Amino acid sequence: MSVQTGIVMLNLGGPATLDEVGPFLVRLFADREIIQLPLQAWLGPFIARRRTAAVQENYRLIGGGSPILRWTTIQGEGMIRWLDRLSPATAPHRFYVAFRYAPPFSEDALRQMQADGVQRAVAFTQYPQFSCATTGSSLNELWRAARRLGLSNAFSWSVIDRWPTHPGFIEAMTRSVQLGLEQFPAAERDNVLLLFSAHSLPLKIIDRGDPYPQEIGASVQAVMERLGFAYEYLLAYQSAVGPVRWLGPQTEQVIKQLGAQGRRNVLVVPIAFTSDHIETLAEIDHEYGELAHRVGITNFKRVPALNDDENFQRTLADLVADHLASGRNHSRQYPLRCPGCTSDQCRNLLNPVASPESVELAHNSQLRL
């Protein structure tokens, strides 16, 4: 039976083995949509080579490779089980993984979709909060890959481009916080500080008007509302690399400052990540955990990732089912380009499913190409 609707799950990805770390970093530092360097064709590979050994050691700490493909596969399988029941009119559905910097790439997903006979396709970002450097970069690469393969008109597309305050996502993150709090002695829980941590971005991207900071803030606010603002909380950003200025405050620095203030109970909430990978398992658990111990934070914990949470899989299915039923091809915000944007690729939609807003978006995209 051919697949009627294909759901492409977009994410950054991660190296599955230690040998894949170098190529992964080369692709990452070559992407000018996430980081712009002087003489990037030379400096990008140079930085990648310099960082490879250290990053390999981090992956060795978590078992020799990233688990993100395994968790994305589990989440996709659960999503499809729900989706076939929630939206029988668009079934059968199948999910396809398209990572930006590690296999499987966009080309891999598109070739399999063609082989499966997919007609209707949904590009579904796995970044809840939109940024040009994450969702935007992944979508741009998906459209480029389709053109490279001669598949520009093979599928009718729509996109789920953001979901920072979706009730199911907020409920899932709230449950994770509640589970995380159970790691603390009952007598200490009222004194726990929630440290929300999100992946940082270069300030050059933020200064163009990228919506990422406000969407991260919206997610944090929604979770805290769900918790009744019962705990003190902060927001910080992690994973800054390279010789450019990044959005802060940096999570590492905040941990040092909290230790200096005498805080003893800190629960980290990775608000932008929907599964475990290097940033949670190595950076937060190992690197930040050791730092917290050194600065006197005696109870430093992290909330469990959503990984194989069945309720979260239902949330993913709800997002897609609602999107398909809406008849819309994207969010209201998607066509809005950053005020300082100079790229001719942003906010495109390849071969969109017919709708009034998609006709206008496709027209505008053609004018820029």
Side-chain angles (χ1 to χ4, degrees), residues 142-221:
L142 182 64
W143 310 144
R144 288 191 296 262
R147 293 187 180 102
R148 288 195 297 267
L149 295 174
L151 297 176
S152 296
N153 298 311
F155 319 108
S156 296
W157 287 97
S158 63
V159 299
I160 302 173
D161 49 89
R162 70 197 72 205
W163 35 285
T165 58
H166 185 277
F169 170 59
I170 298 305
E171 182 63 27
M173 291 304 304
T174 302
R175 285 196 306 270
S176 289
V177 172
Q178 291 166 338
L179 290 172
L181 287 165
E182 292 178 4
Q183 301 176 72
F184 294 83
E188 299 286 338
R189 286 175 196 164
D190 287 345
N191 296 319
V192 173
L193 182 140
L194 305 183
L195 178 56
F196 290 87
S197 187
H199 200 295
S200 188
L201 290 177
L203 279 178
K204 187 171 184 179
I205 293 173
I206 304 304
D207 290 343
R208 289 201 303 257
D210 194 280
Y212 181 73
Q214 68 244 36
E215 296 201 4
I216 290 289
S219 298
V220 171
Q221 181 77 5

Side-chain angles (χ1 to χ4, degrees), residues 55 76 88 149 246 343:
V55 175
L149 295 174
W246 289 71
S343 172

Side-chain angles (χ1 to χ4, degrees), residues 159 161-162 328-337 347 357 360-361:
V159 299
D161 49 89
R162 70 197 72 205
R328 297 186 63 87
N329 285 343
H330 47 72
S331 73
R332 183 67 180 87
Q333 284 292 98
Y334 181 66
L336 179 64
R337 303 180 74 193
R347 306 303 198 271
E357 75 271 10
E360 180 181 0
L361 182 59

